[in-house]
Amino acid sequence: MAMAVAFSSIQTFPSLFSNQTLRFQPLRRRLPLFLASSSSSSTTEFNISFGTATSPRPSKTLVPDASPPDPSSASLPIIPWIVRDENGNLTIQSSPPARFLQSMAETKTSSSNSKKKKKIDNSKSKEKNTPPTPVASTAPKYSKAARRFYNQNIKESQVQRLSKVLAAAGVASRRSSEELIFEGKVTVNGSVCTSPQTRVDISKDSIYVNGSRLSKKLPPKLYFALNKPKGYICSSGDESKSVISLFDELWKGWNKIHPRIPKPRLFTVGRLDVATTGLIIVTNDGEFAQTLAHPSSELSKEYIATVDGTVHRRHLIAISEGTEIEGIKCVPDSVELLPVQPDASRPRLRIVVHEGRNHEVRELVKNAGLQLYSLKRIRIGGFRLPSDLGLGKYVELKPADIRLLQGNSRKSA
């Protein structure tokens, strides 16, 4: 009976069910209230009215979200956004407004830029606090080759002794250049210079020798391995039988290949007597030649000595014991009897020395009681004479060959 009264009372408000937005489920939850109130009196009427504001307000409409529903987010609560539309009316929507998203993006961009700026400022401050790396102002105290490389490629000032500059420019040897300076045949910046120790810079100073101006450019450093023939002398003069005359072909096209660069003055590193053949180094680098030829380097040199007669054990023992040359006892590093070749009837000896004194190998063979027929040098240091290099021919050395020349000494062994 109470249920009937409740429904009869609800029927008095047809407008309540005319609104399709209301659902029956919330109404069922309120039924106990209706039942409780109807139990007290069967004639109770519900006077439900909605209060109205004193001033009219714009109606609120729900704007549906145009994005497709996400099944995974169906259980998540929807946060409404109350915004004002173009007409000034308040509306409710489920997504943030566009201007809010734009302002958030601008804020994020500005914050990231500020962080980058702070990182850059911090790095700059660290760089300012870091002390500068010291630059070496003096030549490194290493080997002569390292100091020479430093002076030629790194050192700004190319100030050198006048006699050394003249020799490097190909004017004459170091001693002959000093004689020219003493004789007053050299002028520096318009004044006669008589001191070989005068420091000059060929790129800045004006130098004249016998009235001819010295070129501002020095010739390049050249290194050759020559297979010296018999009958040629190791001289840098104008003799026709000088080993330097074997390089005449090199100078014919020099001016075309190297315009305005003077011809280098070549000379031999050490000497071979007129009757000895084989390997000899020819260059225009004075320091390199001095390092290679100086006895302190103790570079090993290998010779093939062809002798007349028969070689016995006592001969080999006599050679290995050494001999006195110019008051100094010279002992070879090794002595070996080579196998007999089919096309050669004379025995051959391989003799390795490091002193490099004048006629050393010849004196060793002579002191042993043997008669020397021919002598040929085939190795200096770690560089061996190419087997296909004919007599009187030369080949330009590569950096690896130069290292071989300097890298096989008796000290390192």
Side-chain angles (χ1 to χ4, degrees):
M1 181 64 181
M3 181 69 69
V5 172
F7 277 100
S8 64
S9 301
I10 293 172
Q11 289 178 359
T12 60
F13 303 97
S15 61
L16 184 63
F17 288 93
S18 62
N19 191 354
Q20 297 180 359
T21 60
L22 297 178
R23 297 183 181 273
F24 189 70
Q25 183 68 24
L27 188 60
R28 291 181 62 184
R29 292 180 181 177
R30 293 186 181 91
L31 287 179
L33 297 177
F34 295 152
L35 294 175
S37 60
S38 63
S39 63
S40 60
S41 178
S42 61
T43 60
T44 302
E45 294 183 358
F46 294 92
N47 187 9
I48 299 175
S49 63
F50 295 93
T52 58
T54 56
S55 59
R57 291 184 179 179
S59 61
K60 299 180 180 179
T61 58
L62 182 62
V63 179
D65 191 1
S67 60
D70 188 2
S72 62
S73 62
S75 60
L76 297 176
I78 300 176
I79 302 175
W81 291 81
I82 302 175
V83 298
R84 193 178 297 276
D85 58 6
E86 296 178 355
N87 300 326
N89 300 325
L90 295 175
T91 59
I92 300 176
Q93 62 184 33
S94 60
S95 60
R99 59 178 178 272
F100 176 79
L101 297 175
Q102 184 178 0
S103 63
M104 289 292 292
E106 292 177 355
T107 304
K108 186 176 181 181
T109 304
S110 61
S111 63
S112 62
N113 292 337
S114 62
K115 290 181 180 179
K116 289 181 180 179
K117 187 176 180 180
K118 288 182 180 179
K119 289 182 180 179
I120 294 173
D121 295 339
N122 293 334
S123 62
K124 287 183 179 180
S125 61
K126 289 181 181 179
E127 290 178 358
K128 289 181 181 179
N129 297 331
T130 304
T133 304
V135 180
S137 58
T138 58
K141 296 181 180 181
Y142 297 119
S143 62
K144 290 183 178 179
R147 293 198 299 270
R148 180 171 64 253
F149 177 83
Y150 174 84
N151 293 330
Q152 293 178 355
N153 300 277
I154 301 175
K155 193 175 180 181
E156 295 181 358
S157 178
Q158 293 292 331
V159 179
Q160 296 178 346
R161 296 189 304 273
L162 180 59
S163 59
K164 184 177 180 180
V165 169
L166 296 183
V171 174
S173 64
R174 185 76 63 87
R175 293 182 181 179
S176 299
S177 298
E178 292 178 354
E179 294 177 0
L180 291 174
I181 296 171
F182 288 137
E183 293 174 359
K185 297 181 179 180
V186 180
T187 61
V188 179
N189 298 328
S191 301
V192 177
C193 182
T194 56
S195 175
Q197 304 298 326
T198 302
R199 312 289 289 185
V200 295
D201 188 346
I202 193 172
S203 62
K204 299 178 181 179
D205 297 326
S206 177
I207 304 173
Y208 282 81
V209 180
N210 290 327
S212 299
R213 184 171 181 174
L214 203 66
S215 176
K216 294 291 184 180
K217 296 181 179 180
L218 293 176
K221 301 297 184 181
L222 300 177
Y223 309 90
F224 299 98
L226 173 69
N227 189 359
K228 175 187 172 299
K230 187 176 181 179
Y232 282 78
I233 61 175
C234 296
S235 173
S236 57
D238 298 332
E239 295 88 348
S240 59
K241 283 291 187 177
S242 172
V243 294
I244 305 302
S245 63
L246 299 173
F247 292 85
D248 290 342
E249 293 292 332
L250 179 65
W251 312 130
K252 290 182 179 180
W254 178 266
N255 294 330
K256 293 182 180 180
I257 301 175
H258 306 281
R260 291 179 294 181
I261 296 180
K263 296 178 182 179
R265 175 186 165 273
L266 298 179
F267 49 86
T268 60
V269 179
R271 291 177 179 272
L272 289 177
D273 57 69
V274 65
T276 304
T277 63
L279 177 62
I280 190 167
I281 306 301
V282 181
T283 182
N284 64 331
D285 190 345
E287 293 183 3
F288 169 77
Q290 185 178 5
T291 302
L292 212 63
H294 199 273
S296 62
S297 64
E298 296 188 355
L299 285 175
S300 60
K301 304 173 182 65
E302 183 177 342
Y303 293 82
I304 301 297
T306 304
V307 297
D308 290 327
T310 303
V311 178
H312 299 284
R313 180 180 178 84
R314 56 184 177 84
H315 295 134
L316 299 178
I317 294 175
I319 294 175
S320 62
E321 290 177 351
T323 185
E324 185 174 340
I325 301 175
E326 297 178 354
I328 298 176
K329 184 66 174 294
C330 297
V331 180
D333 295 341
S334 63
V335 180
E336 179 186 0
L337 179 62
L338 297 177
V340 179
Q341 291 182 339
D343 56 345
S345 58
R346 294 182 175 87
R348 297 179 305 137
L349 300 175
R350 176 187 285 118
I351 303 175
V352 180
V353 298
H354 66 274
E355 290 288 343
R357 296 191 175 276
N358 190 24
H359 303 298
E360 180 179 0
V361 178
R362 291 181 178 273
E363 292 295 330
L364 289 171
V365 174
K366 180 180 178 181
N367 183 67
L370 295 174
Q371 186 176 358
L372 187 66
Y373 177 79
S374 65
L375 184 63
K376 180 179 181 179
R377 183 163 64 186
I378 62 173
R379 180 176 62 84
I380 297 177
F383 180 78
R384 188 172 296 272
L385 180 68
S387 59
D388 58 346
L389 189 63
L391 285 173
K393 303 298 181 180
Y394 57 87
V395 61
E396 188 171 359
L397 296 178
K398 300 177 182 179
D401 299 329
I402 297 175
R403 289 193 294 269
L404 286 175
L405 281 169
Q406 299 173 334
N408 188 2
S409 64
R410 193 165 174 263
K411 291 180 179 179
S412 62

